Each structure stands twice: as C-alpha cells, then as structure tokens.
C-alpha cells in the first residue's frame, strides 16, 4: 500500500539545522510531488513547499525561501527537507504528503492524498 | 497570500445530525479547494478535491460544494468517528493555504 515513513523526533538548539526524511513506498516515486506541511502546537496547518520527484523542481512558500531546502534521492525513494537557523517558533510537527495534481488549465487540480505520520521537531535551548 | 476563513471554529453536534462548515476565500479561487480531516493526535487525511469531488474510499456522508469565494462542507449524518478538526485548503494560487480549522465534537 502507498506509504510515507518519516524520520524520528528531533530536539535542536536555536540556530541549528535539522534534516527530516520521508521514505515513499507502494507507488512510482517519480510520478508525484511531495509537499511539506507543518503544524505548530495547538495550531493549524501551514504549507511550506513541494518538490517534484521527477525533476527535483521545488516551489517554496515565500516565508521559507532561504530557510528550507528540499531534495530527493530517487535510488531510495526518499525526500529530505532541511530547515536552517532554527528558532523556537519552528517547533512543530512536520508532515510530508504525496501531492497529486495536474497543471493543465483545462483540468487543474492539486491535493495531498497520502500523508506521513509526522516528525516532531522541538527547538529549545 | 490568499486567506481562508472557516466558520465556525468549533461545533458540537449529536450523532446522526447534519453538520455544516463554511470556508471563505479572500479572493476568487474558482473551485480550487480541498477539504481534509485531522483526527486528534493524527496526521491529516484527504477528503474532497475541486470543491465537490470525493476522494477514493471517502464515505458518502461527506460532501462539499461552492465556487468563487464561498464553500460549504457537510457531514449528512455525524458519526462518532467523525470527531476531528476539518480544514479547507486552496490551490488556486501559490502558496497553498489552509483555513484555520473547524473542530467537530459530539454533544
């Protein structure tokens, strides 16, 4: 079955970086994008960006430009996201999500149909 | 960025009740809207795409409608397993943005 398995929890100090992984299985890895969505404690969902697993093209939300880097390893069907210069307000659960879509203007859609269980990142001194 | 406003922020209803959640976009997003369910302590799950199209395997008691700036999500007969927070999300314009969520509880 389609599955996204994320790496384990992380505790980091302010100013450090963290790299979270998301290993895909059960489908053709290069046929989809992978989005990253985070959720601060008690808060809603925030889309950070996505990577096209076919060509490694990325698209980041403006607030994450320069702070986040997404990359793929097609040999292991794994997506990585690095978040740099961590602050306390980066404390959140980070989810990866397979993103289905079509940019064809006549049939335009994108949705996140399969999600990982999330990786808790805690930033604390 | 497009702002998505959901109401109410929370509601309490009885099993079997019809539940309605609204989602308003800050600008016209055509029908480029999805809905997700997040049960307590769990990852979100996909429900509906393009405002009204049910995802594969999603129970038919869930439905969505709307276009432009105003959207509605319905649960026709609330079940205990529907206790969750529901989020709308637009994909008309980047960045993709979510509503603030509506928490649904059983009365």
């Amino acid at each position: 079955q389609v599955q996204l398995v994320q790496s384990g929890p992380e505790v980091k100090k302010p100013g450090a970086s963290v790299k979270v992984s998301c290993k895909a299985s059960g489908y053709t890895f290069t046929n989809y994008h992978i989005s990253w969505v985070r959720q601060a404690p008690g808060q809603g969902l925030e889309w950070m960006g996505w990577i096209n697993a076919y060509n490694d093209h990325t698209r980041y939300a403006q607030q994450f430009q320069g702070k986040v880097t997404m990359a793929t390893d097609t040999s292991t069907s794994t997506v990585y996201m690095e978040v740099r210069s961590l602050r306390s307000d980066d404390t959140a659960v980070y989810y990866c999500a397979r993103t289905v879509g079509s940019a064809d203007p006549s049939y335009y859609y994108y949705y996140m149909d399969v999600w990982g269980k999330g990786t808790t990142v805690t930033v604390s001194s | 960025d497009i702002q998505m406003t959901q109401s109410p922020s929370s509601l309490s209803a009885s099993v079997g009740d019809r539940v309605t959640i609204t989602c308003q976009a800050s600008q016209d997003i055509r029908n480029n809207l999805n809905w997700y369910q997040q049960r307590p302590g769990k990852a979100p799950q996909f429900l509906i795409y393009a405002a009204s199209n049910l995802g594969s395997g999603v129970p038919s008691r869930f439905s969505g409608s709307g276009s432009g700036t105003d959207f509605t999500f319905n649960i026709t007969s609330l079940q205990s397993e529907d206790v969750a927070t529901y989020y709308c999300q637009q994909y008309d314009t980047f960045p993709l943005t979510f509503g603030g969520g509506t928490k649904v509880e059983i009365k």
Side-chain angles (χ1 to χ4, degrees):
Chain A
Q1 75 282 23
V2 177
Q3 210 173 356
L4 298 175
V5 178
Q6 297 188 226
S7 49
E10 303 268 8
V11 179
K12 296 291 183 181
K13 294 197 182 306
S17 297
V18 68
K19 197 169 189 178
V20 181
S21 68
C22 171
K23 182 174 173 60
S25 62
Y27 70 95
T28 302
F29 179 68
T30 52
N31 282 359
Y32 296 86
H33 292 64
I34 292 286
S35 290
W36 289 89
V37 175
R38 77 177 184 180
Q39 186 170 38
Q43 302 301 308
L45 303 171
E46 181 178 29
W47 183 78
M48 302 174 70
W50 73 21
I51 184 164
N52 184 330
Y54 176 74
N55 55 22
D56 274 356
H57 288 178
T58 55
R59 188 153 199 163
Y60 302 126
Q62 179 71 31
Q63 62 265 42
F64 296 107
Q65 290 272 4
K67 183 173 174 71
V68 165
T69 300
M70 299 175 191
T72 64
D73 180 348
T74 53
S75 69
T76 61
S77 299
T78 302
V79 178
Y80 297 92
M81 180 180 67
E82 182 181 37
V83 185
R84 295 178 291 279
S85 303
L86 288 165
R87 301 163 18 138
S88 58
D89 59 3
D90 291 315
T91 293
V93 177
Y94 289 78
Y95 295 102
C96 61
R98 189 178 79 164
T99 304
V100 182
S102 164
D104 183 339
S106 64
Y107 190 39
Y108 179 75
Y109 65 94
Y110 285 105
Y111 56 88
M112 292 168 267
D113 70 335
V114 178
W115 294 62
K117 292 187 186 302
T119 296
T120 299
V121 175
T122 303
V123 183
S124 174
S125 54
Chain B
D1 298 1
I2 295 177
Q3 306 303 314
M4 306 300 294
T5 303
Q6 286 184 236
S7 61
S9 56
S10 67
L11 66 89
S12 181
S14 300
V15 171
D17 281 355
R18 179 183 181 89
V19 167
T20 298
I21 296 168
T22 64
C23 176
Q24 185 169 59
S26 60
Q27 64 189 65
D28 185 352
I29 60 168
R30 297 172 286 179
N31 69 334
N32 296 325
L33 184 96
N34 302 325
W35 289 94
Y36 299 88
Q37 174 194 67
Q38 186 176 32
R39 294 188 172 111
K42 301 295 186 183
Q45 289 186 284
F46 165 67
L47 293 177
I48 289 171
Y49 73 100
S52 61
N53 295 276
L54 227 55
S56 176
V58 174
S60 59
R61 64 180 180 275
F62 297 105
S63 66
S65 63
S67 185
T69 61
D70 295 303
F71 300 86
T72 301
F73 172 82
N74 288 291
I75 308 173
T76 53
S77 178
L78 186 68
Q79 304 300 304
S80 56
E81 61 264 33
D82 300 335
V83 168
T85 299
Y86 293 84
Y87 293 92
C88 60
Q89 173 249 314
Q90 67 82 22
Y91 57 90
D92 187 78
T93 305
F94 290 94
L96 311 185
T97 49
F98 290 87
T102 296
K103 187 174 184 178
V104 174
E105 297 175 319
I106 300 291
K107 194 181 293 183

